Amino acid sequence: MLVCSCNYITDKDIKSVITELLDEDCWQLIVPAKVYHAMGKRGRCCGCFPNVVELIIRTTEDYHAARETETAEVVDFMERLKRFHEEQRAAILERRMAAVTARRAV
């Protein structure tokens, strides 16, 4: 499935890079920019980033499940990653609201 139409990147490409990154350090924090950098790409419109975050979460969960990593460690890491994702969404919404308010004031 095509995830990023700007760079023509599929979910298989992204999953492969995430797995490679996890093989290097299975507890590192992986974000879309890191995935794109590893592929030698850049986010253009960045509309795909929420989908990339979801792929990161699912692929990381699958990675640790396949390697039978201790559940407590995985849950803690995944909760931190999900919290980070939600904080980023909240920040984006806040910036959008500020921009709308600024436009209305003009």
Side-chain angles (χ1 to χ4, degrees):
M1 173 177 83
L2 188 64
V3 175
C4 176
S5 58
C6 296
N7 290 300
Y8 302 106
I9 301 172
T10 65
D11 60 338
K12 289 180 183 178
D13 299 330
I14 293 171
K15 288 177 184 178
S16 173
V17 169
I18 294 167
T19 302
E20 289 172 15
L21 291 170
L22 290 169
D23 284 341
E24 292 171 11
D25 176 7
C26 66
W27 297 112
Q28 67 178 305
L29 180 61
I30 301 174
V31 295
K34 190 173 213 168
V35 173
Y36 276 61
H37 180 74
M39 290 188 288
K41 308 279 186 182
R42 294 178 67 183
R44 294 188 181 165
C45 76
C46 300
C48 59
F49 277 20
N51 292 330
V52 175
V53 169
E54 293 301 322
L55 283 170
I56 291 168
I57 291 169
R58 282 197 312 257
T59 305
T60 302
E61 287 174 341
D62 294 345
Y63 180 90
H64 287 287
R67 282 147 187 85
E68 298 178 353
T69 304
E70 189 174 318
T71 306
E73 294 178 27
V74 175
V75 171
D76 180 54
F77 177 76
M78 296 313 298
E79 287 303 315
R80 288 186 304 175
L81 186 58
K82 288 176 184 176
R83 193 171 348 134
F84 173 78
H85 177 58
E86 292 191 11
E87 288 169 359
Q88 294 305 309
R89 279 188 179 173
I92 289 169
L93 289 174
E94 188 174 314
R95 284 193 300 271
R96 286 182 185 164
M97 293 303 294
V100 168
T101 304
R103 283 188 218 137
R104 289 183 183 161
V106 174

